Amino acid sequence: MMQLVRVHNFTVSSDGYAAGEGQSLERPFGHADPGVLFSWAAATASWSLRTDPGGSRGLDDYLVREFDRNIGAEIMGRNKFGPQRGPWVNDEWQGWWGEEPPFHTPVFVMTHHERPSFTLADTTFHFVSGDPATVLELALAAADGKDVRLGGGANTIRQFLDADLIDTLHVAVAPVELGAGSRLWSSPEELLDRYHCDVVPSHGGVVHHLYWRR
Amino acid sequence: MMQLVRVHNFTVSSDGYAAGEGQSLERPFGHADPGVLFSWAAATASWSLRTDPGGSRGLDDYLVREFDRNIGAEIMGRNKFGPQRGPWVNDEWQGWWGEEPPFHTPVFVMTHHERPSFTLADTTFHFVSGDPATVLELALAAADGKDVRLGGGANTIRQFLDADLIDTLHVAVAPVELGAGSRLWSSPEELLDRYHCDVVPSHGGVVHHLYWRR
């Protein structure tokens, strides 16, 4: 069985931004309101950060559930892992996700700055440098035959797209404009030369774009 | 975690029939052409009966993949299991699916006629009588905390709907009329008093109906 590299539930504004300007500890998505970007996913029964029972089980939920199906490792950019930039001041920061991160696999954080691995519950974070192909090799080996999820942010996904390393992408386009920030694309059509795409409007207010290789 | 009772990839004609009249060994779907009913699913990468690589990975594939996610047992009607009706003539018939059935869990076949259980690869078929609630209790226990898939046919799903035992249904409506046979409903709207529904047209030619309890 071939291992795939997959992007899931990655949400961008109508003008292609996954986060706004001025990202910080207080505002992880900068001037963007994550409540607006992710309301479609937060309403579903399978949302990994859901704490109460309930939630919808329609189209949005089918897509959200793919987050952990047959995933053996995640790759994320350093800017998704935390608000710090440049060399690590100390090792106190352990991500946004508390004592039980929703990944449940090895996570490879791409950074030029060394830092020891650490484990929270069943998630181990490794800090690795190198180009996308090099980091992907590590993640595929750690995934033990399962697929690798590419978790973002936009810059990281752009690097992997430019290196042609992504097999499938699910990008949700939210009905909000951001104007500036961390950008995935100018238009969803940019990928159509290399990917098939199903465009599926959702009652949750977003339009799902489901890409797979031609 | 609550165990759910789920229907997946159940395909009916535009007038609500899941199979035609005159079901037999040679024509499992009677006068209906299964190639027409299931072409949307057979085109996907995740179709459980796929033998060659390839296949689409868009919307239809996301839905097809749900077939075995977190499923611990299946319940099916006796008419899905095989073409025989009435008492078992002998125990030679072991289903349509060859030496490696695509279920990979216990399967409970509802029948009034006794027959010993048997195992093919990692699928064990049990033959059970009783009303839907009684059979469901057996399946839930065998599923070991996972969900139960209700596999059909139409008459079996109708019985479980009438007993209000189904949590979610995915029904694909194909663009073909059958006029007679084994019928699920007159219209997809019949279930709206009890279920929410997302209606999602697919490039594969069917319209997906995704129901979950109100």
Side-chain angles (χ1 to χ4, degrees):
Chain A
M1 207 64 163
M2 189 180 67
Q3 286 177 280
L4 301 176
V5 179
R6 298 158 39 192
V7 172
H8 285 288
N9 305 322
F10 194 73
T11 305
V12 302
S13 64
S14 58
D15 51 350
Y17 295 93
E21 281 186 317
Q23 296 174 47
S24 66
L25 180 61
E26 294 72 29
R27 295 198 61 96
F29 289 82
H31 78 280
D33 178 352
V36 170
L37 284 177
F38 298 110
S39 60
W40 72 273
T44 67
S46 304
W47 178 234
S48 61
L49 304 179
R50 171 172 290 281
T51 50
D52 56 338
S56 66
R57 295 183 182 276
L59 173 67
D60 292 336
D61 197 50
Y62 277 77
L63 299 177
V64 163
R65 288 200 284 256
E66 285 287 304
F67 179 81
D68 56 11
R69 189 191 55 79
N70 195 42
I71 290 289
E74 161 147 339
I75 296 169
M76 68 170 66
R78 190 260 176 88
N79 293 358
K80 173 176 171 177
F81 176 72
Q84 292 175 301
R85 304 294 181 262
W88 304 102
V89 179
N90 58 50
D91 295 343
E92 274 179 25
W93 178 261
Q94 297 199 308
W96 304 98
W97 304 279
E99 293 299 309
E100 297 198 17
F103 306 108
H104 314 296
T105 66
V107 172
F108 294 85
V109 180
M110 295 179 74
T111 170
H112 298 298
H113 304 284
E114 287 189 16
R115 183 176 157 171
S117 301
F118 68 90
T119 298
L120 287 173
D122 53 359
T123 299
T124 298
F125 292 89
H126 302 287
F127 299 84
V128 292
S129 62
D131 64 6
T134 305
V135 173
L136 179 55
E137 209 169 308
L138 292 172
L140 286 169
D144 196 23
K146 294 186 174 181
D147 296 343
V148 169
R149 182 178 53 239
L150 185 59
N155 295 339
T156 302
I157 295 178
R158 276 299 350 159
Q159 288 179 49
F160 277 75
L161 279 173
D162 294 345
D164 201 24
L165 294 173
I166 304 179
D167 295 299
T168 69
L169 300 93
H170 161 216
V171 181
V173 179
V176 55
E177 277 196 30
L178 286 176
S182 175
R183 196 170 204 179
L184 178 64
W185 58 34
S186 305
S187 155
E189 298 185 0
E190 286 176 14
L191 304 186
L192 295 185
D193 57 335
R194 287 187 283 155
Y195 292 93
H196 299 280
C197 184
D198 277 350
V199 179
V200 190
S202 154
H203 296 283
V206 297
V207 178
H208 299 293
H209 290 70
L210 308 173
Y211 297 89
W212 70 104
R213 282 187 193 277
R214 286 188 179 276
Chain B
M1 207 63 163
M2 189 179 68
Q3 287 177 279
L4 301 176
V5 179
R6 298 157 38 191
V7 172
H8 286 288
N9 305 322
F10 194 73
T11 305
V12 301
S13 63
S14 58
D15 50 350
Y17 295 95
E21 281 187 315
Q23 296 174 47
S24 66
L25 180 61
E26 294 72 29
R27 295 197 61 94
F29 289 82
H31 78 282
D33 178 352
V36 170
L37 284 176
F38 297 111
S39 60
W40 72 272
T44 66
S46 304
W47 178 235
S48 61
L49 304 178
R50 170 172 290 281
T51 50
D52 57 337
S56 66
R57 296 183 183 277
L59 173 67
D60 292 335
D61 197 49
Y62 277 77
L63 299 177
V64 164
R65 288 199 285 256
E66 285 287 304
F67 179 81
D68 56 9
R69 189 191 55 78
N70 196 43
I71 291 289
E74 160 146 340
I75 296 170
M76 67 170 67
R78 191 259 177 90
N79 294 358
K80 173 175 172 177
F81 176 71
Q84 292 174 301
R85 305 292 182 262
W88 304 101
V89 180
N90 58 49
D91 294 344
E92 274 180 24
W93 178 263
Q94 297 198 310
W96 304 97
W97 304 278
E99 293 299 310
E100 297 198 18
F103 306 107
H104 313 297
T105 65
V107 171
F108 294 85
V109 180
M110 294 178 74
T111 170
H112 299 298
H113 303 285
E114 286 190 15
R115 183 175 159 173
S117 302
F118 68 90
T119 298
L120 288 174
D122 53 359
T123 298
T124 297
F125 292 88
H126 302 288
F127 299 84
V128 293
S129 62
D131 64 5
T134 305
V135 173
L136 178 56
E137 209 168 307
L138 292 172
L140 286 169
D144 196 23
K146 295 185 175 182
D147 296 344
V148 169
R149 181 179 52 238
L150 185 59
N155 295 339
T156 302
I157 295 177
R158 276 298 350 157
Q159 288 178 49
F160 278 75
L161 279 174
D162 293 345
D164 201 24
L165 293 173
I166 304 180
D167 295 299
T168 68
L169 299 94
H170 162 215
V171 180
V173 179
V176 56
E177 277 196 32
L178 286 176
S182 177
R183 196 171 204 178
L184 179 65
W185 58 35
S186 305
S187 154
E189 298 185 359
E190 285 176 14
L191 304 186
L192 296 185
D193 57 334
R194 288 187 282 155
Y195 293 92
H196 300 278
C197 183
D198 278 350
V199 180
V200 190
S202 153
H203 297 283
V206 297
V207 178
H208 299 293
H209 291 71
L210 308 173
Y211 298 89
W212 70 104
R213 282 187 192 278
R214 286 187 179 278

